[in-house]
């Protein structure tokens, strides 16, 4: 641990050094946990089961938001979920995607028997501008991808005018 601490900090005996040591100790602990979870294999299975469950329960779906002149499209990656486990709702200024993930993996081999379960809920809230028409909102779910299209109001779809840029 002392090898990664700069010599100027190592030579100081005051509170700064203790804080520096603690910061690096925390980083080392986090890295050990990270690599332990991914590289621990079966030998580290018992030790890392709590961290693995914590990781799986903290599922937060990736969301892509694309806006063009006519609509706002939101795509959420929800692998392993069915449409019945997902709920889409809205208020005047936000869109909410929430659901629950229930996943079980079972592996039987000669050397071991492994059963992993992942349960957890998620909620994503996305702000919406006043220019959208929520009465025409559409949501589709296919192959683990939720696609939500929120059209803009007619007056918000006015064509923009190009401005010429002059140079000196």
């Amino acid at each position: 641990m002392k090898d990664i601490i700069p010599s100027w900090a190592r030579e100081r005996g005051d509170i700064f050094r203790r804080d520096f040591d603690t910061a690096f100790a925390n980083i080392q602990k986090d890295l050990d946990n990270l690599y332990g979870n991914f590289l621990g294999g079966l030998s580290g299975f018992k030790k890392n089961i709590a961290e693995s469950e914590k990781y799986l329960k903290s599922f937060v779906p990736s969301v892509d938001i694309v806006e063009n002149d006519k609509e706002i499209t939101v795509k959420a990656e929800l692998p392993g979920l069915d449409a019945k486990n997902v709920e889409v709702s809205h208020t005047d200024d936000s869109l909410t995607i929430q659901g629950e993930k229930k996943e079980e993996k079972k592996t039987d081999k000669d050397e071991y028997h492994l059963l992993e379960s992942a349960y957890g809920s998620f909620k994503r809230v996305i702000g919406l501008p006043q220019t959208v028409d929520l009465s025409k909102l559409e949501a589709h779910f296919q192959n683990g991808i939720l696609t939500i299209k929120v059209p803009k109001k007619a007056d918000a779809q006015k064509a923009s005018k190009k401005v010429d840029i002059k140079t000196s």
Side-chain angles (χ1 to χ4, degrees):
M1 179 71 70
K2 303 269 186 222
D3 296 342
I4 58 175
I5 299 173
S7 61
W8 59 267
R10 205 173 332 150
E11 294 167 2
R12 294 181 65 175
D14 58 6
I15 188 102
F16 179 81
R17 180 173 173 212
R18 287 191 298 275
D19 290 344
F20 213 82
D21 286 343
T22 303
F24 279 103
N26 290 338
I27 292 169
Q28 184 65 45
K29 181 180 173 186
D30 291 343
L31 287 172
D32 288 345
N33 287 338
L34 175 69
Y35 287 115
N37 285 339
F38 289 105
L39 303 175
L42 291 176
S43 63
F45 180 75
K46 289 180 184 176
K47 176 184 173 194
N48 297 322
I49 187 93
E51 287 96 358
S52 297
E53 286 179 359
K54 185 175 153 185
Y55 172 76
L56 290 171
K57 287 180 182 178
S58 66
F59 170 69
V60 178
S62 296
V63 175
D64 291 328
I65 303 171
V66 178
E67 181 177 4
N68 61 31
D69 294 338
K70 296 181 181 182
E71 65 189 5
I72 295 173
T73 303
V74 178
K75 286 189 180 184
E77 296 179 15
L78 305 170
L81 268 72
D82 295 323
K84 66 183 178 186
N85 300 93
V86 179
E87 180 182 311
V88 176
S89 59
H90 68 80
T91 62
D92 290 339
D93 63 352
S94 67
L95 177 69
T96 302
I97 303 169
Q98 59 187 7
E100 189 171 2
K101 184 173 187 166
K102 298 176 184 176
E103 184 177 359
E104 262 189 27
K105 281 185 182 180
K106 186 175 181 180
T107 305
D108 285 316
K109 298 219 176 185
D110 293 337
E111 304 88 34
Y112 64 92
H113 170 78
L114 177 65
L115 177 64
E116 291 181 302
S117 301
Y119 301 94
S121 59
F122 65 90
K123 182 176 184 178
R124 295 289 305 258
V125 180
I126 300 159
L128 295 173
Q130 296 292 324
T131 58
V132 296
D133 186 355
L134 293 169
S135 67
K136 297 180 181 176
L137 185 143
E138 293 181 4
H140 298 281
F141 191 88
Q142 185 176 8
N143 298 329
I145 305 290
L146 174 67
T147 304
I148 303 167
K149 294 190 181 269
V150 188
K152 291 184 178 179
K153 295 176 184 173
D155 59 343
Q157 295 182 24
K158 294 178 183 175
S160 63
K161 296 180 182 180
K162 185 176 178 180
V163 176
D164 293 328
I165 301 173
K166 298 177 184 177
T167 58
S168 301

